[in-house]
Amino acid sequence: MDESQKVSDLGEVELLRRIAARIPGSQGPEVWSGDDAAVLHSDEPEMLLTTDMMVQGLDFDLDYCTGGDLGYKAIAVNASDIAAMGGRPRHAVVAIALTLDTTVSFVDDFVDGALAACDRWAIGLAGGDVSGGGEISVSVAMTGAPVRTPAVLRSGAQIGDAICVTGSLGGAAAGLVALRRGLRSNGAVARLIDRHLRPTARVEEAALLAASGVTAMIDVSDGLAMDLGHLLEASRAGCRVDAGAIPVDTDIEALDGIDALEIAVIGGEDYELLLTMPPEAVGGAKGALERIGTPLTRIGTVSEDEPYVGPRSLQEWRDSGWQHLRGR
Amino acid sequence: MDESQKVSDLGEVELLRRIAARIPGSQGPEVWSGDDAAVLHSDEPEMLLTTDMMVQGLDFDLDYCTGGDLGYKAIAVNASDIAAMGGRPRHAVVAIALTLDTTVSFVDDFVDGALAACDRWAIGLAGGDVSGGGEISVSVAMTGAPVRTPAVLRSGAQIGDAICVTGSLGGAAAGLVALRRGLRSNGAVARLIDRHLRPTARVEEAALLAASGVTAMIDVSDGLAMDLGHLLEASRAGCRVDAGAIPVDTDIEALDGIDALEIAVIGGEDYELLLTMPPEAVGGAKGALERIGTPLTRIGTVSEDEPYVGPRSLQEWRDSGWQHLRGR
């Protein structure tokens, strides 16, 4: 194949045919791509629905993000939102805007990346839309089935609940720093970069947590300070978080000049689950997650106090956090 | 309010608060905006899901498209896809990318337009995402409930079926021509412009047609020649269409220098329903649609012939049709 072939050489009809040919259809009675809408089946009375958009220049940089990375991440971040409701992702539709000079091989790679992520979390890629634009952007919408009814909201945290987080924090933002510095090679740095480019949605963990007494949950997309703030605001509660307890990604040590705690608190895009549960439920949940290899760490307690993470109020952390529209 | 205030003045957190405050929440047990995903209820075993994206410069031009127009149309075109499956739209999620210099009043207007369309077709605006970008783009994903099971696909047309279309064709593309010519005032031109900026999704019509023996259906978004081609290809059939029978929008006469038949066949964006049904069912369907004020016109017959619309093959028409990625 000619690697330099552009989508504008191919035209929309041929491009759509090419994409459709790469995407496996439904194996059952469902109808996925190829009609005006997908026809999906469900036995559940409750359904989850979310959408998340990624825009070139703001959410990804083509200097280091391949088509495959983009497709993978666009699926992963939506799966993470479904997981944060205590749900299992089921179907995705993907809308992508391409520039005229986007290569066909980028699009092929994008589809492969999206399919790899769908395969990992058992998601049906049920349809989409392709458009043109002055920059590449991707919007995914995803459905999910709650593991329990009612679904796990942000608003259920109770005073006295333990605040816990899966995995570790700060790695994805550190990976972005590494990419911007042009670093690539060694093991720890490669892992950080992978966390940024191909995040893991905590789907299995969410299912176990939903069955383990979790009272409120959110995924860490905007950073711990921001997302903990969202959860507490919805629950009308405060907190005390022990900065020393925060599971900072140890790979960050491989980068010079980074305040590991700060990047763990405000970095964002780790897609870990941040949750609350009664203190007595933590042991069981921890055990359940350990069996699938994922740490669960208690970092604090829901309280009536003004929310603090270590020495700074959440507000102080948040003021330095990520705000898309102001740039970073 | 300061009309010149930009979203970059407001910041992401405040902008999201402002948008959330305009959007009514669920009146029932469902959870719409404000969490990681919406929680939706359904009693139906089948669900429809679609997505459609609109990008500045390609799908709309801010010289004549207001925020309200954009919000309205983004919902309408997705509702039209659901209608084309014989479904009723139920919920939408909206992802929008804004430029730093987008005004806050544009965003307010966008939300109002989206809500007006949701209100018109009884759609719950259940969530969304706001991002930044170098251009404005909107992706909507929409769920729907089929009026009948199985849903109406493109692939069900039978040899001998009548080919019918709702309403009239060519008006939306003529409206775009009028906008590009800077025309505004008179009645017919204003109606054409309205067809382009605020299209009608044929939701009620679809429900009546689904109950009237329709065998295949698609909405006319890319133009009659293109969309009839999609339907026939999916049904592995050909056709004969009588060009003289095509219900050309009579308002087009108000514009000079337009070949009304050509724009009706290749213009696109009319969002009428194009469908097939046994010839003996046409009378009943026509009567049902007439009672809600919408014409249904038989324009041809599904056959084994190479598809022709009047004197030209569908392929000849299609070659001159709209292809996003080649520009127009």
Side-chain angles (χ1 to χ4, degrees):
Chain A
M1 195 199 122
D2 174 7
E3 287 292 323
S4 67
Q5 190 185 27
K6 308 282 194 261
V7 295
S8 53
D9 300 330
L10 209 58
E12 187 175 5
V13 170
E14 275 315 304
L15 183 69
L16 291 175
R17 268 189 230 279
R18 186 181 178 98
I19 293 172
R22 294 181 94 81
I23 300 178
S26 163
Q27 295 305 302
E30 294 190 340
V31 178
W32 293 359
S33 308
D35 218 298
D36 295 282
V39 184
L40 309 177
H41 292 214
S42 172
D43 302 328
E44 329 261 343
E46 277 199 357
M47 186 191 81
L48 305 170
L49 181 64
T50 190
T51 189
D52 220 63
M53 182 180 226
M54 296 175 64
V55 181
Q56 181 180 352
L58 188 79
D59 297 303
F60 59 93
D61 186 329
L62 295 183
D63 284 348
Y64 48 72
C65 177
T66 67
D69 295 332
L70 181 60
Y72 193 95
K73 187 165 180 176
I75 294 295
V77 302
N78 279 276
S80 178
D81 277 327
I82 295 294
M85 303 297 288
R88 284 193 179 277
R90 292 206 56 215
H91 294 95
V93 287
V94 179
I96 184 166
L98 301 169
T99 60
L100 289 172
D101 65 351
T102 304
T103 62
V104 174
S105 73
F106 179 92
V107 179
D108 289 347
D109 194 26
F110 173 84
V111 173
D112 290 345
L115 286 173
C118 283
D119 192 52
R120 178 167 177 188
W121 295 297
I123 300 161
L125 187 51
D129 188 24
V130 176
S131 189
E135 62 200 6
I136 295 179
S137 68
V138 189
S139 288
V140 172
M142 196 175 285
T143 66
V147 170
R148 71 173 205 206
T149 302
V152 182
L153 304 183
R154 297 177 178 180
S155 53
Q158 303 295 315
I159 304 297
D161 277 354
I163 301 172
C164 301
V165 65
T166 59
S168 65
L169 296 175
L176 180 58
V177 170
L179 285 166
R180 287 181 175 164
R181 288 184 185 172
L183 304 177
R184 283 272 167 191
S185 56
N186 89 45
V189 170
R191 285 194 298 273
L192 294 174
I193 288 174
D194 202 51
R195 283 205 73 169
H196 175 72
L197 293 177
R198 300 218 174 199
T200 293
R202 295 297 197 181
V203 170
E204 280 307 317
E205 292 81 355
L208 293 169
L209 289 164
S212 301
V214 58
T215 51
M217 192 150 64
I218 190 170
D219 69 327
V220 183
S221 53
D222 295 329
L224 174 65
M226 192 76 99
D227 292 313
L228 179 56
H230 292 321
L231 185 151
L232 293 171
E233 192 181 6
S235 296
R236 298 168 193 274
C239 75
R240 280 289 178 267
V241 169
D242 174 6
I246 293 172
V248 178
D249 190 325
T250 53
D251 287 330
I252 301 173
E253 291 167 16
L255 291 182
D256 294 330
I258 298 279
D259 181 332
L261 176 64
E262 184 172 81
I263 208 168
V265 177
I266 69 168
E269 297 213 281
D270 288 310
Y271 298 102
E272 298 292 356
L273 295 171
L274 175 68
L275 56 117
T276 61
M277 52 172 46
E280 60 274 20
V282 174
K286 212 189 249 280
L289 262 59
E290 262 163 22
R291 283 191 284 279
I292 60 167
T294 306
L296 182 72
T297 308
R298 179 172 180 175
I299 60 172
T301 304
V302 179
S303 69
E304 287 172 340
D305 304 304
E306 194 198 338
Y308 265 72
V309 170
R312 293 197 219 169
S313 77
L314 221 49
Q315 191 58 49
E316 287 166 326
W317 288 108
R318 284 165 75 161
D319 287 343
S320 54
W322 183 289
Q323 289 212 17
H324 272 154
L325 290 172
R326 281 190 171 142
R328 196 173 189 192
Chain B
M1 194 201 121
D2 174 7
E3 287 292 324
S4 66
Q5 190 185 26
K6 307 285 194 260
V7 294
S8 53
D9 300 331
L10 210 57
E12 186 175 4
V13 170
E14 275 315 303
L15 183 68
L16 291 175
R17 269 190 229 280
R18 186 181 179 99
I19 293 172
R22 294 181 95 83
I23 299 178
S26 164
Q27 295 304 300
E30 294 189 342
V31 178
W32 293 357
S33 307
D35 218 298
D36 295 281
V39 184
L40 309 177
H41 292 215
S42 172
D43 302 328
E44 329 262 343
E46 277 198 359
M47 187 191 82
L48 304 170
L49 180 65
T50 190
T51 188
D52 220 64
M53 182 179 226
M54 296 175 63
V55 181
Q56 180 180 352
L58 188 79
D59 297 302
F60 60 93
D61 186 329
L62 294 182
D63 284 350
Y64 48 71
C65 177
T66 67
D69 295 333
L70 181 59
Y72 192 94
K73 187 165 179 175
I75 294 294
V77 301
N78 279 275
S80 178
D81 277 326
I82 295 293
M85 303 295 290
R88 285 194 179 277
R90 293 206 56 214
H91 295 95
V93 287
V94 179
I96 184 166
L98 301 168
T99 60
L100 289 170
D101 66 349
T102 305
T103 62
V104 174
S105 74
F106 180 92
V107 178
D108 289 347
D109 194 25
F110 172 84
V111 173
D112 291 346
L115 286 172
C118 284
D119 193 53
R120 178 165 178 190
W121 294 297
I123 300 162
L125 187 51
D129 188 24
V130 176
S131 189
E135 62 198 6
I136 296 179
S137 68
V138 189
S139 289
V140 172
M142 194 174 286
T143 67
V147 170
R148 72 170 203 207
T149 302
V152 183
L153 304 183
R154 296 177 178 180
S155 53
Q158 303 295 318
I159 305 296
D161 276 355
I163 300 171
C164 301
V165 65
T166 60
S168 64
L169 296 174
L176 180 58
V177 171
L179 285 166
R180 287 181 174 163
R181 288 183 185 173
L183 304 177
R184 283 272 167 193
S185 56
N186 89 46
V189 171
R191 286 195 297 274
L192 294 174
I193 288 173
D194 203 51
R195 283 206 74 170
H196 175 73
L197 294 177
R198 301 216 172 200
T200 294
R202 295 298 197 181
V203 170
E204 280 308 316
E205 292 81 354
L208 293 169
L209 289 164
S212 300
V214 59
T215 51
M217 192 150 64
I218 189 171
D219 69 327
V220 183
S221 53
D222 294 329
L224 175 65
M226 191 77 97
D227 292 314
L228 180 56
H230 292 321
L231 186 150
L232 293 172
E233 192 181 6
S235 296
R236 298 167 193 272
C239 74
R240 280 290 177 269
V241 169
D242 173 8
I246 293 172
V248 178
D249 190 324
T250 53
D251 287 330
I252 300 172
E253 291 167 17
L255 291 182
D256 295 330
I258 297 279
D259 181 331
L261 176 63
E262 183 172 79
I263 207 168
V265 176
I266 69 168
E269 297 214 282
D270 288 312
Y271 299 101
E272 297 292 357
L273 295 171
L274 176 68
L275 56 119
T276 61
M277 54 173 45
E280 60 274 20
V282 174
K286 212 188 248 278
L289 262 59
E290 261 163 22
R291 282 191 284 280
I292 60 167
T294 305
L296 182 72
T297 308
R298 177 173 181 174
I299 60 172
T301 304
V302 179
S303 69
E304 288 173 341
D305 303 303
E306 193 197 342
Y308 265 72
V309 171
R312 292 197 222 170
S313 76
L314 222 48
Q315 191 57 48
E316 287 166 324
W317 288 109
R318 283 164 78 162
D319 287 343
S320 55
W322 183 289
Q323 290 212 18
H324 273 153
L325 290 173
R326 284 192 169 138
R328 199 175 185 185

